[in-house]
């Protein structure tokens, strides 16, 4: 599947979107730095754009670490590449 810099959260039991789930993203840059990148909540469709910022930082990102915290569905950490340009 193509990587567009978004994640979509669905409930494992019924495939319904998970809105209002907290997402925190850290970036590992090409020079080795690891820094906070972005955080927020999924929208009503269970989507969160983890890569878009109003800066040009994305060009220097090597990998993202994404933390997902849901009071109902638990927590999850995944490492993902930046989206293709």
């Amino acid at each position: 599947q193509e990587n567009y810099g978004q994640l979509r959260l669905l409930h494992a039991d019924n495939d319904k979107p998970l809105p209002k789930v907290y997402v925190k993203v850290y970036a590992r840059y090409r020079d080795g730095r690891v820094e906070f990148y972005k955080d927020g909540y999924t929208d009503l469709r269970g989507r969160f754009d983890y890569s878009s910022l109003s800066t040009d930082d994305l060009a220097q990102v090597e990998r993202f670490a994404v933390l997902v915290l849901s009071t109902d569905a638990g927590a999850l950490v995944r490492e993902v590449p930046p989206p293709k340009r």
Side-chain angles (χ1 to χ4, degrees), residues 1-7 50-51 64 80-85:
Q1 184 173 345
E2 198 68 31
N3 177 2
Y4 296 107
Q6 290 190 352
L7 55 90
Y50 63 84
S51 65
F64 286 112
V80 295
K84 296 186 189 256
R85 298 171 179 253

Side-chain angles (χ1 to χ4, degrees), residues 3-67:
N3 177 2
Y4 296 107
Q6 290 190 352
L7 55 90
R8 184 172 177 220
L9 301 177
L10 303 173
H11 197 283
D13 294 337
N14 57 23
D15 280 344
K16 289 189 177 179
L18 290 171
K20 301 183 200 170
V21 173
Y22 181 69
V23 180
K24 189 167 192 172
V25 182
Y26 284 85
R28 182 174 67 216
Y29 293 91
R30 297 187 194 287
D31 64 4
R33 289 178 296 136
V34 175
E35 295 181 353
F36 169 78
Y37 190 80
K38 182 177 187 176
D39 69 343
Y41 290 86
T42 56
D43 64 15
L44 293 176
R45 301 169 300 158
R47 294 180 188 261
F48 180 77
D49 181 341
Y50 63 84
S51 65
S52 295
L53 288 180
S54 59
T55 67
D56 63 350
D57 285 0
L58 182 59
Q60 301 304 315
V61 173
E62 189 175 85
R63 302 278 297 165
F64 286 112
V66 180
L67 167 67

